[in-house]
Amino acid sequence: MAKEIAVFGATGNQGGSVIEALLKDSNYKVRAVTRNTSSPRAQQLAAQNIQVVQADYSDKNSLKRALQGVYGCFVVTTQDFTDNDCQKTETTHGKNIADVCSQLNIEHVIFTTQLNVYKVLGINARHMTAKAEIEMYMRSLGIPATYVVLPCYYESLLTIFRPVVIVFNWYNPQ
């Protein structure tokens, strides 16, 4: 019987690539977790006969519903840099997921983490520090997990990190 894996960030680059890989292996069944089940990307997933469930990272009850009965999960947390407390918000979201995984005895979690650059370099890169704090929290709970450090996707060089010409031979990475 196929093991069901809940994939957070299912409509994004990381979660989407995990879903794509899992669909190629009949040993796994995918449950896509998203904030908005009616988004175009969520609808595309549903059209592929993938169960798409809604969860709010701030709401542990919605996380419990999303994770109920799964073998494992892939977790990616994101940061809204327009939020003045974005580091705290992301850390809280990750800890909420960790708490629910622990309560439900999820067999295995894969979490995309980052180095704590504040501890290493004294620079507070909020999104990296938050992920490092979530990883340490997961470890403290004894959650069976694999921690993966992903710098960025090369596809991002064509979108959010795409250089923009200011003057001939001068570029501004917008």
Side-chain angles (χ1 to χ4, degrees), residues 7-19:
V7 179
F8 286 86
T11 60
N13 286 334
Q14 287 187 36
S17 65
V18 169
I19 288 174

Side-chain angles (χ1 to χ4, degrees), residues 36-167:
N36 181 1
T37 57
S38 49
S39 74
R41 180 66 183 125
Q43 292 300 306
Q44 288 174 346
L45 294 170
Q48 296 176 58
N49 292 320
I50 296 170
Q51 181 186 14
V52 179
V53 298
Q54 188 278 337
D56 177 342
Y57 288 24
S58 298
D59 178 6
K60 287 186 182 181
N61 287 325
S62 77
L63 293 169
K64 284 179 187 174
R65 285 189 299 274
L67 292 173
Q68 194 67 49
V70 300
Y71 168 81
C73 64
F74 171 83
V75 178
V76 58
T77 56
T78 59
Q79 198 157 112
D80 175 5
F81 290 104
T82 63
D83 173 3
N84 288 333
D85 283 335
C86 58
Q87 180 178 335
K88 181 180 177 187
T89 301
E90 182 177 2
T91 303
T92 299
H93 289 169
K95 286 181 175 183
N96 286 346
I97 295 169
D99 288 339
V100 171
C101 286
S102 180
Q103 290 169 7
L104 295 178
N105 295 313
I106 301 298
E107 296 282 333
H108 198 83
V109 174
I110 297 174
F111 177 61
T112 59
T113 187
Q114 289 291 329
L115 298 176
N116 190 332
V117 292
Y118 185 75
K119 284 186 178 178
V120 175
L121 299 172
I123 300 168
N124 190 20
R126 297 173 293 180
H127 62 297
M128 296 177 85
T129 302
K131 287 170 180 56
E133 289 174 356
I134 295 164
E135 175 189 345
M136 296 315 302
Y137 185 71
M138 286 182 170
R139 288 180 185 275
S140 76
L141 294 177
I143 294 173
T146 300
Y147 302 98
V148 181
V149 176
L150 298 172
C152 77
Y153 280 90
Y154 286 109
E155 291 90 338
S156 296
L157 297 173
L158 301 173
T159 57
I160 60 173
F161 296 129
R162 183 174 160 227
V164 176
V165 176
I166 298 174
V167 186

